[in-house]
Amino acid sequence: MTNTIFLQQLVNGVSVGSLYALVAIGYTMVYGILRLINFAHGDLLMVAAYAAIFGMGIFSNSWIAFPLAIIITGCIGILLDRTAYKPLRNAPRISLLISAIGASFLLENLFLVIFGGVPKPFPRPDFFASVIDIGALRIPVLTIYAPIITILLFLGLLYIVYRTKAGKAMRAASRDFETTRLMGINLDRIIALTFLLGSCLAAAGGIMWAMKYPQVNPFMGIFPGIKAFVAAVLGGIGNITGALVGGFLLGLGEIMIVALMPELAQYRDALAFVILILVLLFRPRGIMGETIVE
Amino acid sequence: MLRVDDLHVYYGGIHALKGIHLEVNEGRIVTLIGANGAGKTTAIRAIVGLLKLNAGSIVFRGSNITDLPTHQIIRQGIAVSPEGRHVFQNLSVFENLELGAYNLRTAEFQEQLEWVFSLFPRLQERRVQVAGTLSGGEQQMLAFGRALMSRPKLVLLDEPSLGLAPLVVQEVFRAIEEVNRQGATILLIEQNAMAALTIAHYGYVLETGKVVLEGPGAKLLKDEQVRKAYLGE
Ligand SMILES: Nc1ncnc2c1ncn2[C@@H]1O[C@H](COP(=O)(O)OP(=O)(O)OP(=O)(O)O)[C@@H](O)[C@H]1O
Ligand SMILES: [Mg+2]
């Protein structure tokens, strides 16, 4: 293993990790407010990718098509809450979980029926397609843009959650629904906002994922979705910063396995599950989670 | 200002409110007293739409609010300081107050904030502190102050003196009278019947889900039954 390859892997790990992070944040936000693992969250990656292909078909301009795809995915996130979760606000947690699994199957199969199972190529705009050389390193610009975009979106999210009234209402609601209502706050709006933000971030992750692995099919969200979920648990579910940290760590961990133990390279995808089991066994609240969630 | 008629609430099979009526006139302090489990908290929660009614009607300032969602009831000018304080533990004192004023404009917010700080100077000293680390008395002041932030016309206070030292209780009762003098109408729930009846213009006595006695505060204070049951004589 030469230094160059190692560095190349490192950059790659940070980049993939940033995509896990974007998706993990949505898991953690919805969990924080509804105590629900939103199983359909990973599928929003796929929804965003199709929406972006569709948008490119119409506008042939990624500056219009991508933001539009993000907004559409955000709206689908809200729709998901309205149809699959909102009717069950007072139902037992397990009903909600089953509804989430159902919603995930529904999205996947709906897209299978509409778009078929044949993977579609993803139109990568030139802006993201070039490769830069740093010494002996050859790095696709996307690999560099992904973590930068992630950090920028994350800072924007922190601003909303900690500085705006609606963000403060979100944090209040994550502890106490009834008292939040007593402030004259429309709780359903706040929950919708949570889904909107989480889904938009997942969409940004999904579009970058599709540019990185430009094969779009109805089931493409499952694996990154599961890994992002592990990242959220690793970081401490319910904690936004934790999700970011967990995402980067998981991305780095996977790459390091490949780099340091090449003979284990083919088990790379299993690492997430090993981490999940270890975290649940030894530190269920994750790296940054609070001692008591409920 | 607030008129509650024939209110029935069930928890599963338990008939917790058996047709209570209440009337709170503008500018008044009205108190609702009763033993543990009488249904006082249930009544407040039903009024603001946190509980589903099985029957009854609630009219606030001439409009029927019976089946409105909680946030809309609150926006009509009702504020609640709930039993057990329920401050947002993960937010700062200032953020708690901000949420109390969720539907106010910024200019109004500043004005309200100054007023609440003048009532409870302690909150101003501790404005950046995380609410979960406040003492019990301070949390009570915060819950009360947070309720006042929305410029309410009617304030519902559920046991604002619970678990407080006598001196702090006095402070809270003084604040209640001050808020009332400034124009807000108060519906006060209290275990401390003596203190409540002393400041109240009118009082209701609740027993196992029914109003068994009502009258001006001073008159209830002299009532034989009330003295026996609630003033420990
Ligand atoms: N969520 C609930 N489920 C079932 N029963 C309930 C529930 N909440 C209250 N009750 C019952 O309803 C009755 C009235 O309760 P409520 O809390 O209104 O009493 P209270 O007058 O406020 O008492 P306290 O002075 O102790 O606060 C009690 O018998 C109580 O056990
Ligand atoms: Mg009570």
Side-chain angles (χ1 to χ4, degrees), chain A residues 103-149:
Chain A
S104 173
F105 283 144
L106 178 74
L107 274 176
E108 287 160 16
N109 289 292
L110 189 68
F111 276 70
L112 185 64
V113 169
I114 298 174
F115 296 102
V118 184
K120 288 196 188 310
F122 192 84
R124 180 159 46 191
D126 297 339
F127 178 68
F128 285 104
S130 56
V131 173
I132 50 174
D133 296 287
I134 306 172
L137 283 182
R138 283 182 57 77
I139 302 173
V141 284
L142 178 64
T143 306
I144 295 174
Y145 287 155
I148 294 174
I149 291 172

Side-chain angles (χ1 to χ4, degrees), chain B residues 42-102:
Chain B
T42 304
I44 285 220
R45 291 166 51 81
I47 289 169
V48 295
L50 288 177
L51 289 175
K52 229 177 101 52
L53 309 185
N54 293 81
S57 86
I58 303 163
V59 176
F60 179 61
R61 302 178 81 223
S63 70
N64 189 339
I65 58 167
T66 310
D67 287 314
L68 289 184
T70 300
H71 66 272
Q72 284 180 22
I73 294 175
I74 299 294
R75 284 177 195 181
Q76 306 216 355
I78 299 182
V80 183
S81 171
E83 180 175 45
R85 298 155 197 160
H86 287 271
V87 299
F88 297 116
Q89 309 254 336
N90 53 332
L91 303 186
S92 71
V93 168
F94 184 76
E95 287 172 325
N96 268 273
L97 295 173
E98 264 185 304
L99 287 183
Y102 197 77

Side-chain angles (χ1 to χ4, degrees), chain B residues 11-12 14-17 34-43 45 51 83 158-159 189-191 206:
Chain B
Y11 292 111
I14 303 167
H15 199 173
L17 291 184
N36 294 120
K40 306 178 299 288
T41 300
T42 304
R45 291 166 51 81
L51 289 175
E83 180 175 45
D158 195 345
E159 306 209 13
I189 289 183
E190 260 302 329
Q191 290 284 330
L206 207 57

Side-chain angles (χ1 to χ4, degrees), chain A:
Chain A
M1 162 96 22
T2 66
N3 275 342
T4 317
I5 296 178
F6 182 78
L7 268 180
Q8 189 105 38
Q9 299 279 27
L10 192 70
V11 175
N12 213 6
V14 171
S15 185
V16 175
S18 74
L19 299 186
Y20 294 155
L22 275 181
V23 184
I25 290 169
Y27 272 112
T28 237
M29 286 176 76
V30 168
Y31 184 87
I33 212 155
L34 292 185
R35 304 287 179 265
L36 161 75
I37 306 298
N38 178 12
F39 275 107
H41 186 64
D43 295 307
L44 295 176
L45 254 78
M46 172 273 293
V47 171
Y50 276 105
I53 292 180
F54 204 68
M56 286 295 274
I58 296 173
F59 301 106
S60 333
N61 178 339
S62 57
W63 296 106
I64 299 173
F66 290 2
L68 198 65
I70 291 174
I71 291 168
I72 288 172
T73 309
C75 294
I76 289 180
I78 293 177
L79 200 67
L80 180 68
D81 172 51
R82 281 287 134 99
T83 53
Y85 307 141
K86 192 177 164 209
L88 298 172
R89 286 284 193 261
N90 299 316
R93 201 73 48 81
I94 187 75
S95 313
L96 211 59
L97 206 63
I98 291 168
S99 188
I101 294 169
S104 173
F105 283 144
L106 178 74
L107 274 176
E108 287 160 16
N109 289 292
L110 189 68
F111 276 70
L112 185 64
V113 169
I114 298 174
F115 296 102
V118 184
K120 288 196 188 310
F122 192 84
R124 180 159 46 191
D126 297 339
F127 178 68
F128 285 104
S130 56
V131 173
I132 50 174
D133 296 287
I134 306 172
L137 283 182
R138 283 182 57 77
I139 302 173
V141 284
L142 178 64
T143 306
I144 295 174
Y145 287 155
I148 294 174
I149 291 172
T150 297
I151 297 287
L152 290 178
L153 290 175
F154 176 72
L155 291 178
L157 180 70
L158 281 191
Y159 177 82
I160 292 174
V161 171
Y162 286 92
R163 289 274 176 270
T164 67
K165 250 194 205 176
K168 289 168 192 180
M170 266 166 79
R171 286 191 290 141
S174 76
R175 295 304 176 88
D176 190 339
F177 273 9
E178 283 197 347
T179 312
T180 304
R181 286 210 180 97
L182 287 180
M183 301 297 108
I185 294 169
N186 185 343
L187 187 64
D188 285 321
R189 285 253 189 95
I190 296 301
I191 294 174
L193 175 69
T194 308
F195 274 88
L196 175 73
L197 293 173
S199 307
C200 285
L201 293 183
I207 291 170
M208 288 194 276
W209 189 272
M211 286 195 278
K212 201 170 174 67
Y213 309 102
Q215 296 270 306
V216 174
N217 71 70
F219 303 99
M220 67 175 270
I222 297 176
F223 243 79
I226 288 173
K227 290 187 180 171
F229 167 63
V230 174
V233 173
L234 173 64
I237 193 130
N239 184 306
I240 297 173
T241 310
L244 184 84
V245 172
F248 277 114
L249 282 181
L250 183 62
L252 276 174
E254 281 186 357
I255 294 296
M256 286 306 146
I257 292 259
V258 180
L260 303 177
M261 291 175 276
E263 66 278 10
L264 290 182
Q266 52 183 326
Y267 296 112
R268 175 185 152 168
D269 284 338
L271 175 74
F273 299 99
V274 175
I275 289 181
L276 180 63
I277 291 165
L278 291 180
V279 171
L280 291 179
L281 279 180
F282 296 109
R283 200 180 158 89
R285 64 192 164 101
I287 298 171
M288 306 185 73
E290 282 146 46
T291 344
I292 305 158
V293 172
E294 268 169 285

